[in-house]
């Protein structure tokens, strides 16, 4: 069965499954990444998500490889560019990833421009020759367009806000931690210039809050020169905002980084090359959010796995089918490091959950709301 399609925008048709590439270049070699992309594309997936900081765990030696591997696949497999939807993200402020524009300290106009193609920097420092531009951009390895070997990015997303918000495992808002951020208008102006130049087609946000989504939308409404965000990639409660403001909801980590597959609940704790085992002690963001030593997370996982067993449904199918059944989810962004994992997710498109199963899932969620938020 082919993966169904959905409109992220009237002019942007995407598959209901989106393959995330955050394992490409770390867990997956170039040839393994190609095989995953081949299988996904042949299965009807046309939507692929990356980020300039990928793969994870993030480190200076590998950053940008996920975009690079996708770009090489496009060229070497001779995939028509208009047959795929390529999404990637610009990194926000970070005190850790100093190899990405020194942090960056902010997500201002300069950082956005440099992340996309760095052309303004190069134009101001070198005599402009197209080949020279490509050469220097490749040398400094700071250009998403060059790494992806594409003339344009279909969906360019702000990876996380340029202001303090609780995210990546945090839940409570602390007003003391707020600082003076780059304005929504400055970010939209930079993104709008890239749209006008044909470097990106549409813009979106990730790990954003309802407040942030509305501020972006209000700024675009006031100034017709600014592009309007068409999507938000988030695990937070944004359904109402997305529905009423006509913003596509991209649900990421539908398997809770593999917890809902049940592999980490096995007697041996899962295979040694499973992500949370392979990178134990090296991937703080993932380990803090998806930690089975947390009683709430463990009990929630056991409850969902119990539903799958009771109805004789593969736990991966249960999780993916549930996410895809939500009327506001445009696409589910998932990761796979092995072909059989990809096949399990794709096969979930054939699974339809009856009202009784949905009701049991909702009951577990009412007891354990967003345990991995």
């Amino acid at each position: 069965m082919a993966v169904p399609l959905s409109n992220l925008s009237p002019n942007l048709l995407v598959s209901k499954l989106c393959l995330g590439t955050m394992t490409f270049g770390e867990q997956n070699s170039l040839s393994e990444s190609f095989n995953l992309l081949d299988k996904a594309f042949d299965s009807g997936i046309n939507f692929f998500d990356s980020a300039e900081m990928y793969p994870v765990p993030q480190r200076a030696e590998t950053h940008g490889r996920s975009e690079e591997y996708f770009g090489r696949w496009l060229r070497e497999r001779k995939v028509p560019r208009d047959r795929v939807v390529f999404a990637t993200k610009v990194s926000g402020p970070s005190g850790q990833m100093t190899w990405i524009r020194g942090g960056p300290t902010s997500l201002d106009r300069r950082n956005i421009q440099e992340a996309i193609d760095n052309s303004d920097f190069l134009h101001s420092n070198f005599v402009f020759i197209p080949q020279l531009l490509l050469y220097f951009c490749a040398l400094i390895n700071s250009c998403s367009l060059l790494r992806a070997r594409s003339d344009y990015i279909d969906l360019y997303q702000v990876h996380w806000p340029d202001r303090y918000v609780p995210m990546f495992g945090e839940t409570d808002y602390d007003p003391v931690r707020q600082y003076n951020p780059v304005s929504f208008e400055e970010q939209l102006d930079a993104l709008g210039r890239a749209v006008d130049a044909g470097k990106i087609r549409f813009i979106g946000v990730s790990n954003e809050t309802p407040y942030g989504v509305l501020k972006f939308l209000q700024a675009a409404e006031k100034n017709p020169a600014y592009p309007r965000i068409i999507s938000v990639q988030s695990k937070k409660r944004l359904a109402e905002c997305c529905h009423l403001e006509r913003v596509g909801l991209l649900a990421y980590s539908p398997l809770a980084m593999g917890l809902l597959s049940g592999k980490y609940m096995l007697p041996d704790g899962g295979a040694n090359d499973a992500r949370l085992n392979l990178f134990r002690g090296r991937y703080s963001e993932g380990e803090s959010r998806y930690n089975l030593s947390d009683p709430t997370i463990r009990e929630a996982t056991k409850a969902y796995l119990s539903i799958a067993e009771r109805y004789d449904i593969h736990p991966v199918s249960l999780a993916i089918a549930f996410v895809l059944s939500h009327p506001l989810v445009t696409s589910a962004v998932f990761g796979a490091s092995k072909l059989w994992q990809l096949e399990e997710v794709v096969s979930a498109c054939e699974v339809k959950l009856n009202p009784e199963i949905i009701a049991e899932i909702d009951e577990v969620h009412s007891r354990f709301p967003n345990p991995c938020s």
Side-chain angles (χ1 to χ4, degrees), residues 142-205:
S142 64
C143 318
S144 285
L145 281 174
L146 265 293
R147 285 192 293 263
R149 303 191 181 198
S150 179
D151 295 328
Y152 62 91
I153 296 163
D154 294 287
L155 177 63
Y156 198 61
Q157 305 155 103
V158 175
H159 205 155
W160 59 85
D162 186 324
R163 66 184 193 284
Y164 160 72
V165 297
M167 57 184 175
F168 302 137
E170 298 179 335
T171 56
D172 296 326
Y173 178 81
D174 180 2
V176 176
R177 296 176 61 184
Q178 189 56 269
Y179 57 87
N180 189 30
V182 173
S183 69
F184 295 97
E185 289 78 8
E186 179 174 341
Q187 294 176 65
L188 286 175
D189 180 68
L191 293 166
R193 291 174 187 270
V195 171
D196 292 341
K199 298 172 185 177
I200 57 178
R201 295 178 62 201
F202 300 97
I203 66 167
V205 292

Side-chain angles (χ1 to χ4, degrees), residues 62-123:
T62 59
H63 106 268
R65 279 189 190 169
S66 297
E67 290 179 326
E68 178 193 345
Y69 283 12
F70 179 81
R72 292 183 65 174
W73 174 76
L74 274 181
R75 290 297 178 91
E76 295 184 28
R77 294 293 199 254
K78 296 181 171 55
V79 178
R81 181 63 183 84
D82 61 358
R83 294 280 307 280
V84 299
V85 176
F86 175 59
T88 193
K89 314 181 198 75
V90 55
S91 296
S94 168
Q96 298 176 339
M97 291 180 287
T98 55
W99 52 87
I100 300 179
R101 296 183 302 282
T105 57
S106 71
L107 194 56
D108 58 8
R109 182 180 292 106
R110 180 187 64 83
N111 272 288
I112 291 172
Q113 291 171 341
E114 288 188 13
I116 296 171
D117 72 352
N118 215 20
S119 60
D120 287 353
F121 167 79
L122 292 167
H123 285 191

